[in-house]
Amino acid sequence: QVQLVESGGGLVQAGDSLRLSCAASGRTFSSYGMGWFRQAPGKEREFVASISRSGGIRNYADLVKGRFTISRDNAKNTVYLQMNSLKPEDTGVYYCAAGARGWWRPEEYDYWGQGTQVTVSS
């Protein structure tokens, strides 16, 4: 198994940038495809971005494409989500996930972090 810890969330203004980090335990980090999801109050968890084991394949939700960038540093066992041009609609709890059998459905991931809050004010 792998344990994931997200960090980097906070309160920002619309148009600002924020970088989330997801630190993974274990020596098998490079064996896992990784994803970022988010959940707003009263809404279902939704896909944000995913990245393949080597980092060569990246997928994004339409709502964040062009603004967000997912990356990984396997030497540091860390996945990042660079968020630019943030909008109030981006507000939510952001979760890091590992072990993708797919790329956009939450049930396709095996391991999850505790989440980090991102709040974007207008």
Side-chain angles (χ1 to χ4, degrees), residues 87-117:
K87 304 175 181 179
E89 306 92 269
D90 296 318
T91 294
V93 178
Y94 282 69
Y95 298 90
C96 176
R101 296 178 294 277
W103 56 272
W104 70 276
R105 296 177 182 269
E107 58 266 30
E108 293 172 335
Y109 290 79
D110 296 316
Y111 309 105
W112 294 83
Q114 82 289 348
T116 185
Q117 177 70 42

PDB file of all heavy atoms in Angstrom, residues 87-117:
ATOM      1  N   LYS A  87     -10.165  30.222 -10.230  1.00  0.00           N
ATOM      2  CA  LYS A  87     -11.505  30.768 -10.236  1.00  0.00           C
ATOM      3  C   LYS A  87     -12.242  30.338  -8.974  1.00  0.00           C
ATOM      4  O   LYS A  87     -11.913  29.310  -8.388  1.00  0.00           O
ATOM      5  CB  LYS A  87     -12.282  30.271 -11.462  1.00  0.00           C
ATOM      6  CG  LYS A  87     -11.619  30.553 -12.792  1.00  0.00           C
ATOM      7  CD  LYS A  87     -12.404  29.916 -13.930  1.00  0.00           C
ATOM      8  CE  LYS A  87     -11.746  30.173 -15.268  1.00  0.00           C
ATOM      9  NZ  LYS A  87     -12.504  29.537 -16.379  1.00  0.00           N
ATOM     10  N   PRO A  88     -13.241  31.097  -8.559  1.00  0.00           N
ATOM     11  CA  PRO A  88     -14.030  30.670  -7.398  1.00  0.00           C
ATOM     12  C   PRO A  88     -14.607  29.268  -7.559  1.00  0.00           C
ATOM     13  O   PRO A  88     -14.751  28.549  -6.565  1.00  0.00           O
ATOM     14  CB  PRO A  88     -15.135  31.722  -7.320  1.00  0.00           C
ATOM     15  CG  PRO A  88     -14.516  32.946  -7.901  1.00  0.00           C
ATOM     16  CD  PRO A  88     -13.635  32.438  -9.021  1.00  0.00           C
ATOM     17  N   GLU A  89     -14.910  28.877  -8.777  1.00  0.00           N
ATOM     18  CA  GLU A  89     -15.452  27.553  -9.045  1.00  0.00           C
ATOM     19  C   GLU A  89     -14.447  26.440  -8.769  1.00  0.00           C
ATOM     20  O   GLU A  89     -14.829  25.266  -8.722  1.00  0.00           O
ATOM     21  CB  GLU A  89     -15.920  27.445 -10.500  1.00  0.00           C
ATOM     22  CG  GLU A  89     -16.890  28.532 -10.919  1.00  0.00           C
ATOM     23  CD  GLU A  89     -16.189  29.723 -11.527  1.00  0.00           C
ATOM     24  OE1 GLU A  89     -15.840  30.658 -10.768  1.00  0.00           O
ATOM     25  OE2 GLU A  89     -15.996  29.733 -12.768  1.00  0.00           O
ATOM     26  N   ASP A  90     -13.177  26.789  -8.597  1.00  0.00           N
ATOM     27  CA  ASP A  90     -12.158  25.801  -8.271  1.00  0.00           C
ATOM     28  C   ASP A  90     -12.129  25.464  -6.789  1.00  0.00           C
ATOM     29  O   ASP A  90     -11.384  24.572  -6.378  1.00  0.00           O
ATOM     30  CB  ASP A  90     -10.776  26.303  -8.692  1.00  0.00           C
ATOM     31  CG  ASP A  90     -10.651  26.475 -10.196  1.00  0.00           C
ATOM     32  OD1 ASP A  90     -11.130  25.601 -10.941  1.00  0.00           O
ATOM     33  OD2 ASP A  90     -10.059  27.487 -10.623  1.00  0.00           O
ATOM     34  N   THR A  91     -12.904  26.156  -6.006  1.00  0.00           N
ATOM     35  CA  THR A  91     -12.934  25.935  -4.569  1.00  0.00           C
ATOM     36  C   THR A  91     -13.387  24.520  -4.233  1.00  0.00           C
ATOM     37  O   THR A  91     -14.339  24.002  -4.816  1.00  0.00           O
ATOM     38  CB  THR A  91     -13.860  26.950  -3.892  1.00  0.00           C
ATOM     39  OG1 THR A  91     -13.317  28.262  -4.034  1.00  0.00           O
ATOM     40  CG2 THR A  91     -14.022  26.646  -2.406  1.00  0.00           C
ATOM     41  N   GLY A  92     -12.701  23.902  -3.300  1.00  0.00           N
ATOM     42  CA  GLY A  92     -13.068  22.577  -2.859  1.00  0.00           C
ATOM     43  C   GLY A  92     -11.920  21.909  -2.133  1.00  0.00           C
ATOM     44  O   GLY A  92     -10.844  22.481  -1.982  1.00  0.00           O
ATOM     45  N   VAL A  93     -12.166  20.711  -1.687  1.00  0.00           N
ATOM     46  CA  VAL A  93     -11.125  19.898  -1.091  1.00  0.00           C
ATOM     47  C   VAL A  93     -10.475  19.089  -2.202  1.00  0.00           C
ATOM     48  O   VAL A  93     -11.159  18.377  -2.940  1.00  0.00           O
ATOM     49  CB  VAL A  93     -11.680  18.960  -0.002  1.00  0.00           C
ATOM     50  CG1 VAL A  93     -10.570  18.085   0.566  1.00  0.00           C
ATOM     51  CG2 VAL A  93     -12.339  19.768   1.103  1.00  0.00           C
ATOM     52  N   TYR A  94      -9.176  19.195  -2.307  1.00  0.00           N
ATOM     53  CA  TYR A  94      -8.431  18.504  -3.346  1.00  0.00           C
ATOM     54  C   TYR A  94      -7.769  17.262  -2.783  1.00  0.00           C
ATOM     55  O   TYR A  94      -7.081  17.321  -1.763  1.00  0.00           O
ATOM     56  CB  TYR A  94      -7.386  19.436  -3.954  1.00  0.00           C
ATOM     57  CG  TYR A  94      -7.983  20.423  -4.928  1.00  0.00           C
ATOM     58  CD1 TYR A  94      -8.820  21.443  -4.480  1.00  0.00           C
ATOM     59  CD2 TYR A  94      -7.733  20.318  -6.296  1.00  0.00           C
ATOM     60  CE1 TYR A  94      -9.391  22.333  -5.370  1.00  0.00           C
ATOM     61  CE2 TYR A  94      -8.300  21.213  -7.189  1.00  0.00           C
ATOM     62  CZ  TYR A  94      -9.127  22.219  -6.721  1.00  0.00           C
ATOM     63  OH  TYR A  94      -9.694  23.106  -7.606  1.00  0.00           O
ATOM     64  N   TYR A  95      -7.987  16.153  -3.459  1.00  0.00           N
ATOM     65  CA  TYR A  95      -7.480  14.863  -3.027  1.00  0.00           C
ATOM     66  C   TYR A  95      -6.491  14.297  -4.027  1.00  0.00           C
ATOM     67  O   TYR A  95      -6.708  14.366  -5.236  1.00  0.00           O
ATOM     68  CB  TYR A  95      -8.617  13.856  -2.866  1.00  0.00           C
ATOM     69  CG  TYR A  95      -9.636  14.217  -1.823  1.00  0.00           C
ATOM     70  CD1 TYR A  95     -10.757  14.972  -2.143  1.00  0.00           C
ATOM     71  CD2 TYR A  95      -9.475  13.791  -0.506  1.00  0.00           C
ATOM     72  CE1 TYR A  95     -11.702  15.300  -1.186  1.00  0.00           C
ATOM     73  CE2 TYR A  95     -10.417  14.114   0.456  1.00  0.00           C
ATOM     74  CZ  TYR A  95     -11.529  14.867   0.107  1.00  0.00           C
ATOM     75  OH  TYR A  95     -12.464  15.182   1.056  1.00  0.00           O
ATOM     76  N   CYS A  96      -5.448  13.732  -3.508  1.00  0.00           N
ATOM     77  CA  CYS A  96      -4.477  13.000  -4.293  1.00  0.00           C
ATOM     78  C   CYS A  96      -4.838  11.521  -4.246  1.00  0.00           C
ATOM     79  O   CYS A  96      -5.259  11.007  -3.207  1.00  0.00           O
ATOM     80  CB  CYS A  96      -3.078  13.235  -3.727  1.00  0.00           C
ATOM     81  SG  CYS A  96      -1.756  12.311  -4.524  1.00  0.00           S
ATOM     82  N   ALA A  97      -4.690  10.829  -5.364  1.00  0.00           N
ATOM     83  CA  ALA A  97      -5.028   9.419  -5.433  1.00  0.00           C
ATOM     84  C   ALA A  97      -3.959   8.653  -6.201  1.00  0.00           C
ATOM     85  O   ALA A  97      -3.319   9.189  -7.101  1.00  0.00           O
ATOM     86  CB  ALA A  97      -6.392   9.229  -6.097  1.00  0.00           C
ATOM     87  N   ALA A  98      -3.801   7.397  -5.848  1.00  0.00           N
ATOM     88  CA  ALA A  98      -2.793   6.547  -6.468  1.00  0.00           C
ATOM     89  C   ALA A  98      -3.388   5.214  -6.874  1.00  0.00           C
ATOM     90  O   ALA A  98      -4.396   4.767  -6.331  1.00  0.00           O
ATOM     91  CB  ALA A  98      -1.627   6.321  -5.505  1.00  0.00           C
ATOM     92  N   GLY A  99      -2.742   4.574  -7.829  1.00  0.00           N
ATOM     93  CA  GLY A  99      -3.126   3.242  -8.247  1.00  0.00           C
ATOM     94  C   GLY A  99      -4.206   3.200  -9.295  1.00  0.00           C
ATOM     95  O   GLY A  99      -5.094   2.347  -9.240  1.00  0.00           O
ATOM     96  N   ALA A 100      -4.131   4.089 -10.250  1.00  0.00           N
ATOM     97  CA  ALA A 100      -5.180   4.213 -11.247  1.00  0.00           C
ATOM     98  C   ALA A 100      -5.276   2.977 -12.133  1.00  0.00           C
ATOM     99  O   ALA A 100      -4.278   2.508 -12.683  1.00  0.00           O
ATOM    100  CB  ALA A 100      -4.944   5.444 -12.103  1.00  0.00           C
ATOM    101  N   ARG A 101      -6.478   2.472 -12.235  1.00  0.00           N
ATOM    102  CA  ARG A 101      -6.797   1.459 -13.233  1.00  0.00           C
ATOM    103  C   ARG A 101      -7.389   2.115 -14.471  1.00  0.00           C
ATOM    104  O   ARG A 101      -7.475   1.497 -15.525  1.00  0.00           O
ATOM    105  CB  ARG A 101      -7.777   0.436 -12.655  1.00  0.00           C
ATOM    106  CG  ARG A 101      -7.193  -0.370 -11.497  1.00  0.00           C
ATOM    107  CD  ARG A 101      -8.215  -1.343 -10.931  1.00  0.00           C
ATOM    108  NE  ARG A 101      -9.330  -0.651 -10.295  1.00  0.00           N
ATOM    109  CZ  ARG A 101      -9.318  -0.189  -9.058  1.00  0.00           C
ATOM    110  NH1 ARG A 101      -8.239  -0.354  -8.302  1.00  0.00           N
ATOM    111  NH2 ARG A 101     -10.380   0.437  -8.568  1.00  0.00           N
ATOM    112  N   GLY A 102      -7.802   3.340 -14.315  1.00  0.00           N
ATOM    113  CA  GLY A 102      -8.274   4.198 -15.381  1.00  0.00           C
ATOM    114  C   GLY A 102      -7.669   5.561 -15.173  1.00  0.00           C
ATOM    115  O   GLY A 102      -6.505   5.667 -14.752  1.00  0.00           O
ATOM    116  N   TRP A 103      -8.482   6.621 -15.374  1.00  0.00           N
ATOM    117  CA  TRP A 103      -7.909   7.936 -15.147  1.00  0.00           C
ATOM    118  C   TRP A 103      -8.888   8.987 -14.664  1.00  0.00           C
ATOM    119  O   TRP A 103      -8.464  10.011 -14.123  1.00  0.00           O
ATOM    120  CB  TRP A 103      -7.192   8.446 -16.410  1.00  0.00           C
ATOM    121  CG  TRP A 103      -8.043   8.483 -17.649  1.00  0.00           C
ATOM    122  CD1 TRP A 103      -8.226   7.475 -18.542  1.00  0.00           C
ATOM    123  CD2 TRP A 103      -8.796   9.594 -18.129  1.00  0.00           C
ATOM    124  NE1 TRP A 103      -9.064   7.878 -19.559  1.00  0.00           N
ATOM    125  CE2 TRP A 103      -9.414   9.180 -19.325  1.00  0.00           C
ATOM    126  CE3 TRP A 103      -8.996  10.895 -17.669  1.00  0.00           C
ATOM    127  CZ2 TRP A 103     -10.243  10.029 -20.069  1.00  0.00           C
ATOM    128  CZ3 TRP A 103      -9.818  11.746 -18.409  1.00  0.00           C
ATOM    129  CH2 TRP A 103     -10.426  11.303 -19.595  1.00  0.00           C
ATOM    130  N   TRP A 104     -10.215   8.774 -14.821  1.00  0.00           N
ATOM    131  CA  TRP A 104     -11.152   9.836 -14.470  1.00  0.00           C
ATOM    132  C   TRP A 104     -12.202   9.447 -13.443  1.00  0.00           C
ATOM    133  O   TRP A 104     -12.871  10.330 -12.903  1.00  0.00           O
ATOM    134  CB  TRP A 104     -11.827  10.397 -15.721  1.00  0.00           C
ATOM    135  CG  TRP A 104     -12.797   9.464 -16.381  1.00  0.00           C
ATOM    136  CD1 TRP A 104     -12.525   8.467 -17.276  1.00  0.00           C
ATOM    137  CD2 TRP A 104     -14.212   9.456 -16.201  1.00  0.00           C
ATOM    138  NE1 TRP A 104     -13.683   7.837 -17.667  1.00  0.00           N
ATOM    139  CE2 TRP A 104     -14.736   8.426 -17.026  1.00  0.00           C
ATOM    140  CE3 TRP A 104     -15.090  10.226 -15.422  1.00  0.00           C
ATOM    141  CZ2 TRP A 104     -16.103   8.144 -17.089  1.00  0.00           C
ATOM    142  CZ3 TRP A 104     -16.452   9.944 -15.482  1.00  0.00           C
ATOM    143  CH2 TRP A 104     -16.939   8.915 -16.319  1.00  0.00           C
ATOM    144  N   ARG A 105     -12.374   8.176 -13.141  1.00  0.00           N
ATOM    145  CA  ARG A 105     -13.368   7.745 -12.160  1.00  0.00           C
ATOM    146  C   ARG A 105     -12.700   7.529 -10.800  1.00  0.00           C
ATOM    147  O   ARG A 105     -11.674   6.849 -10.708  1.00  0.00           O
ATOM    148  CB  ARG A 105     -14.032   6.447 -12.596  1.00  0.00           C
ATOM    149  CG  ARG A 105     -14.849   6.548 -13.870  1.00  0.00           C
ATOM    150  CD  ARG A 105     -15.411   5.184 -14.240  1.00  0.00           C
ATOM    151  NE  ARG A 105     -16.166   5.212 -15.475  1.00  0.00           N
ATOM    152  CZ  ARG A 105     -17.470   5.430 -15.557  1.00  0.00           C
ATOM    153  NH1 ARG A 105     -18.181   5.635 -14.459  1.00  0.00           N
ATOM    154  NH2 ARG A 105     -18.063   5.433 -16.738  1.00  0.00           N
ATOM    155  N   PRO A 106     -13.269   8.070  -9.726  1.00  0.00           N
ATOM    156  CA  PRO A 106     -12.685   7.852  -8.395  1.00  0.00           C
ATOM    157  C   PRO A 106     -12.522   6.387  -8.035  1.00  0.00           C
ATOM    158  O   PRO A 106     -11.533   6.010  -7.386  1.00  0.00           O
ATOM    159  CB  PRO A 106     -13.676   8.547  -7.456  1.00  0.00           C
ATOM    160  CG  PRO A 106     -14.323   9.587  -8.299  1.00  0.00           C
ATOM    161  CD  PRO A 106     -14.430   8.967  -9.668  1.00  0.00           C
ATOM    162  N   GLU A 107     -13.475   5.559  -8.452  1.00  0.00           N
ATOM    163  CA  GLU A 107     -13.426   4.142  -8.112  1.00  0.00           C
ATOM    164  C   GLU A 107     -12.307   3.398  -8.820  1.00  0.00           C
ATOM    165  O   GLU A 107     -12.033   2.238  -8.502  1.00  0.00           O
ATOM    166  CB  GLU A 107     -14.774   3.467  -8.405  1.00  0.00           C
ATOM    167  CG  GLU A 107     -15.229   3.596  -9.850  1.00  0.00           C
ATOM    168  CD  GLU A 107     -16.141   4.790 -10.077  1.00  0.00           C
ATOM    169  OE1 GLU A 107     -15.985   5.796  -9.361  1.00  0.00           O
ATOM    170  OE2 GLU A 107     -17.008   4.719 -10.963  1.00  0.00           O
ATOM    171  N   GLU A 108     -11.649   4.049  -9.750  1.00  0.00           N
ATOM    172  CA  GLU A 108     -10.532   3.440 -10.454  1.00  0.00           C
ATOM    173  C   GLU A 108      -9.197   3.623  -9.733  1.00  0.00           C
ATOM    174  O   GLU A 108      -8.176   3.135 -10.210  1.00  0.00           O
ATOM    175  CB  GLU A 108     -10.440   3.999 -11.871  1.00  0.00           C
ATOM    176  CG  GLU A 108     -11.618   3.604 -12.750  1.00  0.00           C
ATOM    177  CD  GLU A 108     -11.630   4.308 -14.090  1.00  0.00           C
ATOM    178  OE1 GLU A 108     -11.055   5.399 -14.205  1.00  0.00           O
ATOM    179  OE2 GLU A 108     -12.225   3.748 -15.041  1.00  0.00           O
ATOM    180  N   TYR A 109      -9.226   4.300  -8.583  1.00  0.00           N
ATOM    181  CA  TYR A 109      -8.026   4.536  -7.788  1.00  0.00           C
ATOM    182  C   TYR A 109      -8.087   3.740  -6.492  1.00  0.00           C
ATOM    183  O   TYR A 109      -9.159   3.566  -5.904  1.00  0.00           O
ATOM    184  CB  TYR A 109      -7.854   6.020  -7.492  1.00  0.00           C
ATOM    185  CG  TYR A 109      -7.482   6.825  -8.714  1.00  0.00           C
ATOM    186  CD1 TYR A 109      -8.447   7.199  -9.641  1.00  0.00           C
ATOM    187  CD2 TYR A 109      -6.161   7.197  -8.938  1.00  0.00           C
ATOM    188  CE1 TYR A 109      -8.106   7.922 -10.771  1.00  0.00           C
ATOM    189  CE2 TYR A 109      -5.817   7.925 -10.061  1.00  0.00           C
ATOM    190  CZ  TYR A 109      -6.795   8.285 -10.977  1.00  0.00           C
ATOM    191  OH  TYR A 109      -6.447   9.013 -12.095  1.00  0.00           O
ATOM    192  N   ASP A 110      -6.933   3.295  -6.040  1.00  0.00           N
ATOM    193  CA  ASP A 110      -6.862   2.419  -4.877  1.00  0.00           C
ATOM    194  C   ASP A 110      -6.562   3.146  -3.573  1.00  0.00           C
ATOM    195  O   ASP A 110      -7.021   2.721  -2.508  1.00  0.00           O
ATOM    196  CB  ASP A 110      -5.790   1.345  -5.094  1.00  0.00           C
ATOM    197  CG  ASP A 110      -6.116   0.418  -6.249  1.00  0.00           C
ATOM    198  OD1 ASP A 110      -7.275  -0.008  -6.357  1.00  0.00           O
ATOM    199  OD2 ASP A 110      -5.203   0.108  -7.039  1.00  0.00           O
ATOM    200  N   TYR A 111      -5.794   4.210  -3.624  1.00  0.00           N
ATOM    201  CA  TYR A 111      -5.343   4.885  -2.414  1.00  0.00           C
ATOM    202  C   TYR A 111      -5.602   6.379  -2.500  1.00  0.00           C
ATOM    203  O   TYR A 111      -5.470   6.985  -3.569  1.00  0.00           O
ATOM    204  CB  TYR A 111      -3.848   4.627  -2.182  1.00  0.00           C
ATOM    205  CG  TYR A 111      -3.478   3.169  -2.239  1.00  0.00           C
ATOM    206  CD1 TYR A 111      -2.812   2.644  -3.340  1.00  0.00           C
ATOM    207  CD2 TYR A 111      -3.806   2.309  -1.196  1.00  0.00           C
ATOM    208  CE1 TYR A 111      -2.487   1.306  -3.402  1.00  0.00           C
ATOM    209  CE2 TYR A 111      -3.488   0.966  -1.254  1.00  0.00           C
ATOM    210  CZ  TYR A 111      -2.827   0.469  -2.358  1.00  0.00           C
ATOM    211  OH  TYR A 111      -2.501  -0.867  -2.418  1.00  0.00           O
ATOM    212  N   TRP A 112      -5.927   6.961  -1.344  1.00  0.00           N
ATOM    213  CA  TRP A 112      -6.300   8.369  -1.286  1.00  0.00           C
ATOM    214  C   TRP A 112      -5.650   9.084  -0.118  1.00  0.00           C
ATOM    215  O   TRP A 112      -5.444   8.505   0.949  1.00  0.00           O
ATOM    216  CB  TRP A 112      -7.817   8.510  -1.145  1.00  0.00           C
ATOM    217  CG  TRP A 112      -8.563   8.018  -2.339  1.00  0.00           C
ATOM    218  CD1 TRP A 112      -8.911   6.731  -2.615  1.00  0.00           C
ATOM    219  CD2 TRP A 112      -9.049   8.815  -3.418  1.00  0.00           C
ATOM    220  NE1 TRP A 112      -9.589   6.669  -3.815  1.00  0.00           N
ATOM    221  CE2 TRP A 112      -9.689   7.923  -4.319  1.00  0.00           C
ATOM    222  CE3 TRP A 112      -9.014  10.177  -3.705  1.00  0.00           C
ATOM    223  CZ2 TRP A 112     -10.284   8.373  -5.507  1.00  0.00           C
ATOM    224  CZ3 TRP A 112      -9.602  10.629  -4.878  1.00  0.00           C
ATOM    225  CH2 TRP A 112     -10.233   9.724  -5.759  1.00  0.00           C
ATOM    226  N   GLY A 113      -5.338  10.353  -0.321  1.00  0.00           N
ATOM    227  CA  GLY A 113      -4.886  11.195   0.759  1.00  0.00           C
ATOM    228  C   GLY A 113      -6.065  11.780   1.508  1.00  0.00           C
ATOM    229  O   GLY A 113      -7.226  11.519   1.193  1.00  0.00           O
ATOM    230  N   GLN A 114      -5.770  12.582   2.516  1.00  0.00           N
ATOM    231  CA  GLN A 114      -6.814  13.144   3.371  1.00  0.00           C
ATOM    232  C   GLN A 114      -7.441  14.406   2.792  1.00  0.00           C
ATOM    233  O   GLN A 114      -8.496  14.842   3.252  1.00  0.00           O
ATOM    234  CB  GLN A 114      -6.248  13.447   4.765  1.00  0.00           C
ATOM    235  CG  GLN A 114      -5.496  14.768   4.896  1.00  0.00           C
ATOM    236  CD  GLN A 114      -4.150  14.790   4.195  1.00  0.00           C
ATOM    237  OE1 GLN A 114      -3.635  13.752   3.781  1.00  0.00           O
ATOM    238  NE2 GLN A 114      -3.567  15.976   4.071  1.00  0.00           N
ATOM    239  N   GLY A 115      -6.812  14.983   1.804  1.00  0.00           N
ATOM    240  CA  GLY A 115      -7.332  16.170   1.159  1.00  0.00           C
ATOM    241  C   GLY A 115      -6.748  17.456   1.709  1.00  0.00           C
ATOM    242  O   GLY A 115      -6.320  17.521   2.855  1.00  0.00           O
ATOM    243  N   THR A 116      -6.734  18.481   0.880  1.00  0.00           N
ATOM    244  CA  THR A 116      -6.305  19.803   1.294  1.00  0.00           C
ATOM    245  C   THR A 116      -7.279  20.830   0.730  1.00  0.00           C
ATOM    246  O   THR A 116      -7.702  20.738  -0.421  1.00  0.00           O
ATOM    247  CB  THR A 116      -4.859  20.096   0.837  1.00  0.00           C
ATOM    248  OG1 THR A 116      -4.430  21.354   1.354  1.00  0.00           O
ATOM    249  CG2 THR A 116      -4.739  20.108  -0.682  1.00  0.00           C
ATOM    250  N   GLN A 117      -7.652  21.785   1.550  1.00  0.00           N
ATOM    251  CA  GLN A 117      -8.676  22.750   1.178  1.00  0.00           C
ATOM    252  C   GLN A 117      -8.103  23.849   0.299  1.00  0.00           C
ATOM    253  O   GLN A 117      -7.072  24.449   0.615  1.00  0.00           O
ATOM    254  CB  GLN A 117      -9.303  23.377   2.426  1.00  0.00           C
ATOM    255  CG  GLN A 117     -10.345  24.460   2.141  1.00  0.00           C
ATOM    256  CD  GLN A 117     -11.613  23.913   1.545  1.00  0.00           C
ATOM    257  OE1 GLN A 117     -12.107  22.873   1.986  1.00  0.00           O
ATOM    258  NE2 GLN A 117     -12.162  24.597   0.543  1.00  0.00           N
TER     259      GLN A 117
END
